[in-house]
Amino acid sequence: MAFIQSCYSITRQKITNALLTRCVRRMTSNKTVLGIETSCDDTGCAIVNSDGVLQGDALYSQNELHVRYGGVNPLVAYELHRNNIELAVNEALEKASINIENVDAVAVTTKPGMLINLQVGVKYAKYLARISGKPLIPIHHMEAHALAARMYEEIPFPFIVLLISGGHCLLALVQDVDDFLLLGKSLDNPPGEIMDKVARRLKLKNIPEYAKVAGGRAIELAAKKSKNMDLFEFPLPLVRFRDCNFSFSGLKDSAIRKLVKKESEHRVKGDEIIPEVYDLCASFQYAIAEHLAHRTERAIAFCEKKNMIPATNRNIVVSGGVACNDFIFKAIQVIGTKMGYRIFRPPPKLCTDNGIMIAWNGIEKMKKNCNLVKDISFKDIDPLAPLGKSYIDEVVKSNLAVKITRLKKCLQI
């Protein structure tokens, strides 16, 4: 009889544990996070649930305004964030048909980015948390970019990520939601920034179809009209350095020197544009793509040498604003095909800055029960925060020689 009672007790305990486990899973799967993004020039807010369903979002872009300045004006961006943050949050909540009390947490970008702009988002997130009694989740902007594709694709850890934008250029190994190994970074200007600067110097905004288009996008569109990409030659940056770092300032300077030479040849004055503008855009874009591809290939070689990537789990995510460039994305796909990796990128609206990726990163962190806090101090805002733990010295020590993959042949250009 004692044995039967013992079995009954064990069985009842197992059933109770199973029910508790099921309840915990149900609670986790039903979480909803509101995300706020104000790190640069776009005011974004979104509401996402644990199943990766976007319930509502709003994005107040300042792109057209900043095109006039040739880049982001921090003070103008700050004022517009202040004017738009409440509008964005209310619009996202209205689209989701919920109140702030219905969300489980408020996620907000706290690093890196422009200090005064980050403060706008954090201040409003603190206000929302206070009136709703919900926890806050501080978000690293680049981590959010890295994980955004997981909202739409099954991409298990670990995987390699290439983050390319107007503010950053990074290669990292993503080992978990909050575990990143930095393999390489830009030593000077990021690719999006130099594309904007070169586009401005080329006077692309004087061409009506590019007048309201951001510089990098204008170069991509103009490059499609090129009939002779080989007209201009650019050196491959850092070719003698066996690491995964990037350098784009030399490509920018080289592009401007070539432009000045052509302007002199054609006696270009004022707002006039050189006849070879499309070819110069194409050659310049190709040089950027080849540099990114070369360093990505070394990152793959390093991770494989160190057994950091399982043979059954070879994935690369390309994210950030420059990931929207189809030519550059295809260049990384060439490397992926060569090395046996699948290449992913988020939908275009998630490549640029947005509230969706912030909310999703909040969901990822909630599932791991990490980074939930009651308050965020302005001292915690870090405009220059690095991504993860630096492994750059380890890459240098490995001294891996990587043969340059010539993309023109692979892309059939």
Side-chain angles (χ1 to χ4, degrees):
M1 189 58 145
F3 174 74
I4 294 175
Q5 288 178 338
S6 175
C7 289
Y8 172 75
S9 177
I10 293 171
T11 302
R12 185 173 60 184
Q13 186 61 47
K14 285 182 177 180
I15 293 173
T16 301
N17 290 341
L19 288 171
L20 286 171
T21 301
R22 199 174 304 168
C23 288
V24 169
R25 286 175 179 170
R26 190 179 297 121
M27 288 172 63
T28 303
S29 65
N30 290 333
K31 295 296 183 182
T32 300
V33 171
L34 182 147
I36 294 175
E37 159 61 25
T38 61
S39 66
C40 190
D41 61 329
D42 289 334
T43 311
C45 179
I47 298 159
V48 174
N49 70 19
S50 299
D51 296 324
V53 176
L54 174 61
Q55 297 181 330
D57 74 307
L59 184 69
Y60 286 73
S61 176
Q62 305 174 16
N63 179 61
E64 288 189 18
L65 178 64
H66 292 292
V67 164
R68 302 175 198 169
Y69 295 98
V72 178
N73 183 311
L75 293 177
V76 173
Y78 169 72
E79 287 299 328
L80 290 173
H81 280 310
R82 289 184 62 188
N83 294 338
N84 294 331
I85 184 66
E86 186 171 10
L87 295 172
V89 170
N90 288 341
E91 184 178 331
L93 287 168
E94 185 177 346
K95 287 181 178 178
S97 299
I98 62 174
N99 297 319
I100 187 61
E101 290 79 11
N102 301 124
V103 305
D104 294 289
V106 178
V108 60
T109 307
T110 59
K111 55 187 175 183
M114 297 180 179
L115 178 60
I116 56 176
N117 297 343
L118 288 168
Q119 289 175 343
V120 174
V122 170
K123 185 176 181 179
Y124 201 80
K126 285 160 65 77
Y127 160 73
L128 292 176
R130 186 171 65 252
I131 65 172
S132 65
K134 306 298 180 180
L136 288 160
I137 308 177
I139 302 293
H140 191 296
H141 182 81
M142 303 313 294
E143 290 182 6
H145 269 305
L147 299 180
R150 279 169 48 91
M151 183 172 166
Y152 298 89
E153 304 280 355
E154 290 288 338
I155 309 173
F157 299 114
F159 61 87
I160 295 171
V161 66
L162 171 65
L163 299 175
I164 42 179
S165 68
H168 301 274
C169 187
L170 306 168
L171 270 165
L173 180 69
V174 186
Q175 299 189 119
D176 207 333
V177 172
D178 55 349
D179 188 359
F180 290 72
L181 296 181
L182 182 64
L183 305 176
K185 63 180 181 179
S186 180
L187 302 177
D188 39 57
N189 309 102
E193 181 182 335
I194 68 158
M195 293 176 84
D196 286 344
K197 289 181 176 178
V198 170
R200 184 166 69 250
R201 184 59 184 82
L202 285 169
K203 296 172 279 191
L204 290 181
K205 67 180 179 64
N206 293 342
I207 301 175
E209 61 187 296
Y210 310 137
K212 295 183 178 181
V213 178
R217 177 62 175 160
I219 284 179
E220 180 184 9
L221 294 173
K224 293 179 180 180
K225 295 186 176 182
S226 171
K227 295 182 179 179
N228 184 9
M229 183 189 290
D230 295 325
L231 184 61
F232 300 96
E233 290 187 4
F234 288 85
L236 183 65
L238 303 180
V239 68
R240 297 180 183 275
F241 293 84
R242 294 182 176 182
D243 54 39
C244 293
N245 291 327
F246 303 89
S247 176
F248 296 96
S249 62
L251 293 179
K252 178 199 68 177
D253 294 342
S254 180
I256 292 175
R257 284 195 300 270
K258 297 178 194 305
L259 172 60
V260 170
K261 182 179 179 181
K262 285 297 178 182
E263 287 178 333
S264 177
E265 288 178 9
H266 296 295
R267 298 183 180 179
V268 169
K269 297 179 181 179
D271 288 341
E272 294 176 349
I273 298 172
I274 62 170
E276 302 90 349
V277 64
Y278 298 130
D279 297 324
L280 183 51
C281 285
S283 299
F284 178 60
Q285 178 180 250
Y286 177 83
I288 292 172
E290 191 169 63
H291 183 37
L292 290 168
H294 185 225
R295 311 316 267 189
T296 300
E297 189 166 350
R298 178 172 283 112
I300 294 171
F302 172 78
C303 289
E304 290 187 358
K305 180 181 178 181
K306 298 293 184 179
N307 296 315
M308 301 167 105
I309 294 283
T312 56
N313 181 28
R314 295 185 168 182
N315 300 305
I316 298 175
V317 169
V318 186
S319 191
V322 179
C324 293
N325 184 302
D326 288 333
F327 183 87
I328 289 175
F329 182 69
K330 288 176 182 176
I332 306 303
Q333 283 183 315
V334 167
I335 301 303
T337 299
K338 175 183 176 181
M339 305 294 285
Y341 281 68
R342 295 188 303 163
I343 311 298
F344 299 92
R345 68 174 166 179
K349 69 182 294 184
L350 264 74
C351 287
T352 55
D353 294 349
N354 61 87
I356 303 171
M357 68 178 189
I358 304 303
W360 173 249
N361 196 246
I363 289 290
E364 294 257 43
K365 283 180 164 51
M366 283 197 82
K367 288 179 177 179
K368 277 207 68 181
N369 196 29
C370 65
N371 263 36
L372 274 71
V373 298
K374 291 183 178 180
D375 191 21
I376 299 174
S377 168
F378 277 177
K379 294 180 181 180
D380 297 325
I381 300 174
D382 187 353
L384 301 175
L387 177 66
K389 175 185 176 182
S390 179
Y391 234 61
I392 293 175
D393 289 343
E394 296 300 319
V395 177
V396 173
K397 289 176 185 176
S398 69
N399 195 34
L400 287 172
V402 174
K403 187 176 180 180
I404 301 168
T405 300
R406 295 302 177 185
L407 301 174
K408 288 180 182 178
K409 185 176 180 180
C410 300
L411 293 171
Q412 296 181 338
I413 298 171

